[in-house]
Amino acid sequence: MSHVIYKIKDFEKQKMPLKLVYISRSEYGRDWHSTPHSHHFTEFFYIVKGKGFFVLQDREVPVKENDLVIINPFVDHTEKSSPQDSLQYIAVGIEGLSFSMPEHEDAKKDIYIYQGNREDNIFYLNKLLREAQNNESQSESICQNIIEILIIKIQREKNFNVEKNDSKRMNKDVAFIRQYIKHNYRNKITLDKLAETRHINKYYLAHSFKKDMGISPIEYLNKIRIKESKLLLETTDFKIADIAEMTGFSSQSFFSQSFKHITNQTPSKYRKDAKKF
């Protein structure tokens, strides 16, 4: 008979300053695309199966099965599947933390990707999914503990710095308007309309939005519209006039003017260049 005891040392457990925002499991085909977006929280994506890309502002980053993708707050991104292999992943949103590596202490990277321990990742993420789905007694505590375990294991594997992030402190009105614009950019939107939606003064809105986001609400609206139009120009054969209407511009001429102002190219030139690759 063999009997081994491992004594656990006394320690003071410190609860991580985080909140689980969501967890989901998704599968997207090659015909799926979404508008680039960002969040005030960090996101984990574990690639369960397939291949694809994470599309950032300045590049596309390839991902494959068993990759763990970490995207820091306020990083514009979207996901797309490989034409041959649909992307399947589990995604987790975590508020209150951001990640960096020792070699990037002065400037956090927008995205980190590495091959994790598949057995552990699947085990903990599936446990997290089931707890969130069942929503039984003390599920919140169990979910909190599971995500803390997962983060600690990630730190062990890759020596990440995990830092407290206060990005939630964004003005609530600004956060609301930001989300409103993302979901309604195809509609006719003015500063008056945005202020009316939130029941606030338009000058207060303009000042608060510029303070938190660095640009005005209308500039942000045009940025979102142009991003979506670029995607449509790259992936569809819709007429430019139709794309202008689909993305909320009042006319093709105003769309072309706005597009050139932001990209230094006309929509037709952008499409022609995109089709070369």
Side-chain angles (χ1 to χ4, degrees):
M1 176 180 176
S2 176
H3 184 63
V4 181
I5 297 176
Y6 298 96
K7 187 175 181 180
I8 305 299
K9 297 178 181 178
D10 291 335
F11 70 99
E12 183 178 347
K13 183 181 184 300
Q14 293 184 340
K15 186 176 180 180
M16 290 186 181
L18 64 84
K19 175 184 175 184
L20 182 64
V21 179
Y22 78 88
I23 179 166
S24 67
R25 183 165 184 145
S26 305
E27 177 178 354
Y28 296 111
R30 63 183 180 179
D31 58 344
W32 172 84
H33 72 267
S34 73
T35 302
H37 57 281
S38 63
H39 306 282
H40 68 270
F41 48 84
T42 293
E43 286 186 299
F44 288 171
F45 295 84
Y46 178 70
I47 311 303
V48 177
K49 189 178 179 182
K51 297 178 182 178
F53 298 87
F54 273 71
V55 184
L56 307 182
Q57 281 187 312
D58 57 347
R59 66 195 188 281
E60 291 188 0
V61 183
V63 293
K64 60 185 180 301
E65 185 175 323
N66 197 37
D67 276 349
L68 184 64
V69 183
I70 300 174
I71 297 182
N72 273 319
F74 296 115
V75 174
D76 280 341
H77 64 280
T78 189
E79 314 85 54
K80 69 178 184 181
S81 287
S82 162
Q84 295 81 25
D85 206 349
S86 295
L87 196 61
Q88 298 179 35
Y89 59 75
I90 298 173
V92 183
I94 305 168
E95 184 181 282
L97 298 177
S98 61
F99 289 74
S100 65
M101 294 287 283
E103 62 267 32
H104 301 117
E105 286 179 351
D106 294 332
K108 295 184 184 69
K109 283 181 65 177
D110 45 15
I111 185 171
Y112 296 97
I113 300 176
Y114 77 97
Q115 285 270 310
N117 183 313
R118 181 176 180 83
E119 185 178 347
D120 280 357
N121 288 334
I122 289 291
F123 175 79
Y124 288 114
L125 288 170
N126 280 335
K127 284 285 187 184
L128 200 56
L129 272 169
R130 281 195 288 272
E131 281 297 329
Q133 289 167 352
N134 295 336
N135 196 27
E136 296 176 349
S137 174
Q138 300 296 311
S139 280
E140 295 85 355
S141 296
I142 293 174
C143 287
Q144 172 81 16
N145 285 315
I146 292 173
I147 199 63
E148 287 192 21
I149 291 169
L150 193 57
I151 290 172
I152 291 169
K153 293 184 75 64
I154 288 170
Q155 285 181 284
R156 279 183 180 176
E157 291 173 352
K158 293 298 290 184
N159 195 31
F160 278 108
N161 294 326
V162 180
E163 303 159 12
K164 185 176 180 181
N165 185 281
D166 294 325
S167 56
K168 184 64 189 273
R169 292 181 182 178
M170 176 187 288
N171 183 294
K172 290 183 180 179
D173 294 320
V174 172
F176 177 90
I177 293 300
R178 189 167 171 264
Q179 288 302 113
Y180 180 86
I181 289 173
K182 284 185 175 182
H183 289 104
N184 297 278
Y185 67 88
R186 295 181 179 87
N187 302 328
K188 182 178 179 181
I189 294 179
T190 63
L191 183 60
D192 287 321
K193 172 68 174 176
L194 292 173
E196 180 184 334
T197 301
R198 190 60 176 167
H199 307 294
I200 54 178
N201 180 279
K202 67 178 182 180
Y203 300 109
Y204 163 78
L205 170 59
H207 173 77
S208 299
F209 200 96
K210 183 96 181 253
K211 179 181 176 183
D212 282 358
M213 298 297 299
I215 56 177
S216 72
I218 301 305
E219 287 174 320
Y220 183 78
L221 168 63
N222 282 336
K223 183 180 174 183
I224 294 295
R225 286 172 169 172
I226 293 301
K227 281 186 178 180
E228 177 65 10
S229 69
K230 286 168 71 175
L231 193 60
L232 292 170
L233 288 167
E234 292 169 10
T235 60
T236 74
D237 294 320
F238 294 141
K239 294 179 180 177
I240 290 176
D242 293 335
I243 291 176
E245 183 178 354
M246 291 165 65
T247 52
F249 287 96
S250 56
S251 67
Q252 181 178 340
S253 61
F254 181 54
F255 166 55
S256 297
Q257 178 185 341
S258 301
F259 193 95
K260 188 169 185 179
H261 176 73
I262 291 176
T263 68
N264 292 319
Q265 285 183 298
T266 63
S268 56
K269 178 68 164 56
Y270 181 87
R271 168 176 271 171
K272 184 179 179 181
D273 289 347
K275 297 291 186 182
K276 292 178 182 177
F277 302 99

